[in-house]
Amino acid sequence: MQIQPYLFFDGHCDEAIAFYRQAIGAEVVMLMRYADGPDGSAQCPDGTQPPADKVMHACLQIGASQVLVSDGYSGGTPTFDGFSLALTADDDAAAKRLFDALADGGQVQQPLMPTFFASSFGMLVDRYGVSWMVLVPSERAG
């Protein structure tokens, strides 16, 4: 069993995919647009019909994890409340690179710094509103 986050970017999914590819090396495992549905016009669960060129479903490989993404209803205003994605880096230099890349155009909530549980830990909200925690756990915490 596994849990995979599923993020809905409300019409900005292509931009977000490009950003995560560049910022953290995400790889697109699969991508399906609404036009790719059986009759060329897949619908949302509520019956609305998003633009055919929008992302109905995609899977991003980020390190050993997969994150699922979509344009959802393509309403234009994504909201990501009540959770953060925790990104564990291999070392402090990688943590700084990843943190800085994700923070570009976003908002740093806690600068990347050593803590009692990690050699590097920082929190930010990226340009799409997704909350991230970037860390390198200390040996005691691992």
Side-chain angles (χ1 to χ4, degrees):
M1 183 182 331
Q2 65 180 5
I3 295 175
Q4 293 173 292
Y6 206 125
L7 307 177
F8 294 90
F9 288 94
D10 275 344
H12 301 281
C13 197
D14 281 316
E15 297 167 35
I17 289 170
F19 175 69
Y20 296 132
R21 288 179 75 179
Q22 183 273 324
I24 58 176
E27 296 178 27
V28 178
V29 174
M30 70 84 60
L31 189 144
M32 184 180 300
R33 299 190 183 279
Y34 283 98
D36 297 329
D39 63 358
S41 60
Q43 295 181 356
C44 289
D46 72 350
T48 59
Q49 181 108 22
D53 65 334
K54 293 298 181 181
V55 177
M56 181 171 63
H57 173 75
C59 178
L60 303 179
Q61 186 77 38
I62 302 171
S65 300
Q66 291 185 335
V67 176
L68 307 176
V69 297
S70 173
D71 274 312
Y73 296 101
S74 297
T77 310
T79 58
F80 302 99
D81 297 325
F83 72 95
S84 291
L85 299 179
L87 181 59
T88 303
D90 292 332
D91 56 44
D92 294 331
K96 178 166 177 30
R97 182 183 57 75
L98 294 165
F99 186 88
D100 290 347
L102 286 167
D104 183 26
Q107 181 180 12
V108 173
Q109 295 175 315
Q110 177 182 318
L112 193 66
M113 59 193 292
T115 68
F116 68 94
F117 59 87
S119 60
S120 290
F121 177 79
M123 299 183 337
L124 63 99
V125 175
D126 72 24
R127 64 177 68 176
Y128 297 100
V130 177
S131 177
W132 292 86
M133 295 185 290
V134 178
L135 70 146
V136 178
S138 65
E139 292 191 25
R140 284 188 344 205

